[in-house]
Amino acid sequence: MKITQIRQSQLHSAEQGLTLAECIVAILLVNVAVAALVAPLMLVAATRVQNDRISQASALALSEVDRMRVLMEQGVNVTTAVIPPPSSVTASLGQPELLSNQPPPTTVVTCTGGGMALPDSATKGCLRVFNNREFVVQIYRGSITFGPNNRIVGYPMQVRVYNRATFTNGSPSTATPIGQQPATMTTSIGNLELPLAVITTDIVQGDSSTALCAISQCS
């Protein structure tokens, strides 16, 4: 009789399940575990989005440079109408890094003449849409080097690509020289004051001795 009562008591105890206190402790442990995972997951997600944005901006900047370079290397009749607007900073062939002292855009415009149209001033940024994302492209040049028959044979050039949010949620940095945002771990959309991508280069005719001399400073 006693053995039967003990077994019934054990069975009844097992059917009772967790107590309220045990449930509360379990819930607290789960919440602590979830909270510990949220921060790293947000860091990974934000970093991935930001680095993807930088990658797209770099591709957009490179396409602008390649377009100018191909135009020059094809040997077509290049005029000031089809090259970037002049910078307010003096820079010659072989000194493209000086263009980093050009102030950022003061206005954002929809450049007319196609999706890759150029702005008419170095102080204007062209609104570009790339992979369903909006960017602002600032493109400008230094001094032109002319060859025989007053033909353009080269010029230094810089392209900056900003996040569109830079101009809708704030303003770009005016501290020079201006460099691009670093691709680092982040929990936000990065430093909106800086461009996502910056490419600085010389655009020259590859077979032009005039341009080569201008770059190498030959006598």
Side-chain angles (χ1 to χ4, degrees), residues 151-193:
R151 188 171 184 175
I152 296 176
V153 296
Y155 53 88
M157 166 180 158
Q158 186 170 84
V159 181
R160 297 176 189 160
V161 180
Y162 288 86
N163 190 332
R164 180 67 175 99
T166 298
F167 301 89
T168 56
N169 300 335
S171 59
S173 171
T174 57
T176 55
I178 295 177
Q180 71 179 54
Q181 297 184 37
T184 58
M185 299 290 285
T186 181
T187 56
S188 62
I189 56 176
N191 183 356
L192 284 177
E193 293 186 347

Side-chain angles (χ1 to χ4, degrees), residues 18 21 25 35 49 62 82 100 105 115 144 146 157 201 219:
L18 298 175
V25 170
V49 170
L62 185 59
V82 294
S100 293
I144 297 173
F146 293 92
M157 166 180 158
T201 186
S219 57

Side-chain angles (χ1 to χ4, degrees), residues 35-201:
L37 290 174
V38 167
L41 289 176
M42 289 183 61
L43 179 64
V44 170
T47 299
R48 181 176 180 180
V49 170
Q50 176 66 0
N51 288 347
D52 184 54
R53 188 179 286 112
I54 290 175
S55 177
Q56 292 183 22
S58 298
L60 184 56
L62 185 59
S63 68
E64 298 279 359
V65 172
D66 286 344
R67 185 162 60 101
M68 295 296 104
R69 182 168 286 125
V70 168
L71 185 66
M72 185 66 71
E73 291 179 350
Q74 284 179 341
V76 299
N77 185 23
V78 178
T79 66
T80 55
V82 294
I83 64 175
S87 169
S88 60
V89 176
T90 301
S92 303
L93 281 175
Q95 303 173 316
E97 68 281 353
L98 295 179
L99 294 175
S100 293
N101 293 308
Q102 165 69 35
T106 55
T107 56
V108 177
V109 298
T110 301
C111 295
T112 58
M116 297 293 282
L118 296 172
D120 58 13
S121 169
T123 61
K124 295 180 180 179
C126 283
L127 184 63
R128 298 270 201 266
V129 178
F130 188 77
N131 288 346
N132 296 320
R133 284 180 174 167
E134 289 188 337
F135 298 92
V136 174
V137 176
Q138 184 187 22
I139 179 171
Y140 44 89
R141 61 168 173 81
S143 302
I144 297 173
T145 295
F146 293 92
N149 302 319
N150 206 33
R151 188 171 184 175
I152 296 176
V153 296
Y155 53 88
M157 166 180 158
Q158 186 170 84
V159 181
R160 297 176 189 160
V161 180
Y162 288 86
N163 190 332
R164 180 67 175 99
T166 298
F167 301 89
T168 56
N169 300 335
S171 59
S173 171
T174 57
T176 55
I178 295 177
Q180 71 179 54
Q181 297 184 37
T184 58
M185 299 290 285
T186 181
T187 56
S188 62
I189 56 176
N191 183 356
L192 284 177
E193 293 186 347
L194 297 177
L196 292 164
V198 178
I199 295 183
T200 309
T201 186

